[in-house]
Amino acid sequence: MNHSDTPLLSSVLNNDVPALIGNQWCQREDRFDVTNPATHDVLARVAECSAGDTRAAIAAAELAGQSWKRVSAKERSAVLRCWFDLVTDHADELARLMTLEQGKPLAEARGEVGYGASFIEFFAEEAKRMTGETLPSPAASKRLLVMREPVGVVAAITPWNFPLAMITRKCAPALAAGCTVVIKPAEATPLTALALARLALQAGVPEGAISVVTASSPAAVGEVLCTDPRVRKLSFTGSTPVGKKLLAQCASTVKKTSMELGGNAPFIVFDDADLDAAVEGAIASKFRNAGQTCVCTNRFLVQDNVYDAFVEKLTEKVRTLKVGNGLEDEVVIGPLINPAAVEKVQRHIDDAIGKGATVTCGGQAPEAGHTFFNPTVLAGVTREMAVAGEETFGPLAPVFRFSDIDEAIEMANDTPFGLAAYFYTNDYRRIWRTMEGLEYGMVGVNEGLISTELAPFGGMKESGLGREGSHFGLDEFTELKYVCLGGF
Ligand code: NAD
């Protein structure tokens, strides 16, 4: 390991990386490895935190919360604005760090820094707009007020696929609302979380108001975060099975929860669509982060009479996507996070081929190494195949066929998930009917990239509860308090 380039990088790329527990950076004898998925090199050894560490972080967050919620909205806003500036100033280092620990190409990692920072900027502004209301009174002797208060200590459990943005999307609104946060980052990508926390402290977030509890096996830390009564809110992003487990654990103390869970996004192409635009949208929505995003297209649904033309154009484009280490120029498909992720893509392909699908490009892992996978297009895919029901989370584009709008909407909704959906058509009646028919929290119409800090992000059905980003995202970290003033 030799990454002493800058103070920020060297603070997390070393053999003895501390966790942030309350106001202290805590080294631990027990540590776990963080590896580069592209090279399998060990990048760092990070503190293995215990249930006791988690309780200490919660205690510190509770204490810090008593004063942080009394800091004026304008001051909280200024602190967040300073955090935004620091993240922006360190964009190159943070991007490099993400490429090292997560694998995404450097250009995408830079994009994530911008996207992640945008939540801090937005909620710095929104902190000043956390308003209440006066309501009409039922009696002349009374006045009715509704106040918004911070919910209290927030636990943030985050996934590895967006190591930076999933943290800022939770912490920025929480801190803006006057809450304090204990973060449990994914075991594969704790380094970006630790670097972000350093910058938050530097920006003036008070000690104790942000902790990062790192652990390689999350269950013990997770159980404390979900069951400790001092934690009043869990904001989780990750898979649906884990989300369900955490929801059950949170029931014992009736915590507020936000759940950003898995998806199975359909991408519908109608026969009047601009096919070139659809292919462009398909590449953006399917192959970003090597297909490892929750809003990634999982199923292409294409109308009969343009099916062959779409498959041909998509295949042609996918063949040009360069696979390799994300630090290399022109690479657009980095490694998958681990060998298990590669096995899942291969299993979906083998299952589909066994049931009659054909590979039009890709289909196997390239020589680059066993965490890489060639972007793949599958034609002749049917609903009996595993790809129809499971989230692949890799660079696989299965193309299904439909004949009319009713069938397209029925196929699109035939899943327990409801996160993101996309469709391409230029017919305004199809736009309205499809928009209204889709049971999804987010819909892209003639657009493959929909995420922005300005809009509410979240899913229906088993894709989750609550929304992140936009002014709706601030509400999730507040409680309403109704006050009835009498005696007038
Ligand atoms: P995951 O559910 O395995 O892990 C997510 C987080 O939960 C990690 O920090 C992990 O350590 C922690 N965790 C796992 N088991 C736990 C337990 N028993 N107790 C407490 N914490 C536990 O998911 P992942 O593999 O990191 O991420 C991929 C999944 O996340 C995909 O399903 C993807 O769709 C989903 N995701 C959703 C969104 C969204 O906004 N809806 C965004 C990104 C990813």
Side-chain angles (χ1 to χ4, degrees), residues 2-330:
N2 179 23
H3 292 285
S4 50
D5 319 38
T6 70
L8 187 64
L9 286 184
S10 58
S11 74
V12 292
L13 291 170
N14 66 66
N15 266 315
D16 196 0
V17 181
L20 177 59
I21 315 269
N23 61 0
Q24 287 186 351
W25 290 99
C26 301
Q27 285 161 318
R28 290 285 175 265
E29 279 196 6
D30 196 6
R31 299 192 282 277
F32 63 96
D33 291 350
V34 177
T35 54
N36 180 335
T39 61
H40 314 295
D41 291 341
V42 174
L43 294 166
R45 295 199 173 86
V46 179
E48 180 77 58
C49 293
S50 63
D53 290 328
T54 314
R55 281 189 281 272
I58 294 168
E62 196 186 32
L63 187 64
Q66 295 309 317
S67 35
W68 181 242
K69 70 180 177 191
R70 293 196 176 82
V71 168
S72 76
K74 195 161 169 153
E75 276 177 68
R76 285 203 301 269
S77 169
V79 169
L80 284 168
R81 177 70 210 191
C82 186
W83 191 21
F84 165 77
D85 289 338
L86 284 168
V87 169
T88 307
D89 290 347
H90 291 82
D92 285 344
E93 288 155 82
L94 291 165
R96 188 173 148 76
L97 189 57
M98 269 193 283
T99 299
L100 287 171
E101 69 171 339
Q102 197 272 335
K104 66 182 62 185
L106 207 46
E108 269 190 43
R110 284 206 190 92
E112 182 176 343
V113 178
Y115 175 58
S118 73
F119 289 101
I120 311 178
E121 182 188 43
F122 180 85
F123 286 107
E125 294 155 2
E126 209 60 12
K128 293 179 279 189
R129 297 182 198 120
M130 199 171 103
T131 53
E133 282 185 39
T134 57
L135 298 177
S137 171
S141 60
K142 296 178 180 176
R143 300 291 183 271
L144 313 187
L145 304 181
V146 180
M147 292 153 56
R148 275 199 180 275
E149 295 187 346
V151 70
V153 176
V154 171
I157 301 184
T158 54
W160 49 263
N161 62 343
F162 286 89
L164 189 146
M166 295 304 100
I167 290 178
T168 57
R169 206 164 76 176
K170 297 176 188 313
C171 294
L175 290 167
C179 300
T180 52
V181 205
V182 179
I183 304 165
K184 209 291 298 159
E187 50 276 30
T189 57
L191 307 181
T192 306
L194 292 163
L196 270 177
R198 276 189 190 273
L199 297 177
L201 294 180
Q202 209 177 315
V205 172
E207 289 181 346
I210 188 165
S211 283
V212 182
V213 181
T214 47
S216 63
S217 43
V221 168
E223 192 182 350
V224 174
L225 291 175
C226 292
T227 57
D228 191 307
R230 294 170 294 182
V231 175
R232 291 313 314 146
K233 157 109 194 176
L234 170 68
S235 181
F236 172 74
T237 299
S239 62
T240 295
V242 173
K244 287 180 181 176
K245 200 183 290 179
L246 303 189
L247 264 178
Q249 289 181 355
C250 284
S252 66
T253 49
V254 195
K255 288 192 204 320
K256 272 180 169 292
T257 56
S258 292
M259 293 277 148
E260 297 286 350
L261 308 179
N264 181 358
F267 186 111
I268 305 169
V269 183
F270 287 102
D271 58 8
D272 66 300
D274 175 337
L275 289 191
D276 292 322
V279 167
E280 199 180 308
I283 297 291
S285 91
K286 172 70 250 183
F287 293 102
R288 210 157 42 99
N289 205 9
Q292 304 171 110
T293 82
C294 54
V295 290
C296 254
T297 294
N298 204 56
R299 297 168 291 154
F300 288 94
L301 314 179
V302 181
Q303 197 156 15
D304 276 333
N305 41 348
V306 291
Y307 186 91
D308 292 341
F310 179 80
V311 168
E312 195 180 317
K313 281 176 184 283
L314 182 66
T315 303
E316 202 178 303
K317 190 78 184 175
V318 171
R319 279 208 185 100
T320 66
L321 304 177
K322 186 174 170 196
V323 181
N325 187 324
L327 291 177
E328 288 166 18
D329 284 347
E330 291 169 23

Side-chain angles (χ1 to χ4, degrees), residues 451-475:
S451 304
T452 159
E453 80 282 11
L454 302 173
F457 190 105
M460 296 180 180
K461 294 159 76 179
E462 294 189 17
S463 287
L465 299 168
R467 294 292 181 269
E468 292 188 328
S470 78
H471 66 91
F472 299 104
L474 189 68
D475 296 348

Side-chain angles (χ1 to χ4, degrees), residues 376-455:
T376 299
V377 179
L378 276 178
V381 183
T382 62
R383 292 162 84 170
E384 294 68 46
M385 300 172 186
V387 278
E390 293 178 32
E391 189 184 28
T392 306
F393 235 55
L396 171 62
V399 191
F400 298 72
R401 203 182 263 278
F402 70 87
S403 54
D404 60 29
I405 185 168
D406 293 327
E407 190 186 15
I409 294 172
E410 189 273 320
M411 284 173 78
N413 289 338
D414 184 19
T415 164
F417 299 104
L419 191 59
Y422 309 86
F423 64 91
Y424 277 68
T425 174
N426 287 310
D427 180 305
Y428 76 91
R429 282 157 301 210
R430 279 177 167 167
I431 290 180
W432 274 101
R433 277 192 60 200
T434 311
M435 216 168 71
E436 289 172 351
L438 289 171
E439 297 166 350
Y440 285 83
M442 296 173 280
V443 179
V445 186
N446 296 320
E447 180 56 60
L449 281 179
I450 55 177
S451 304
T452 159
E453 80 282 11
L454 302 173

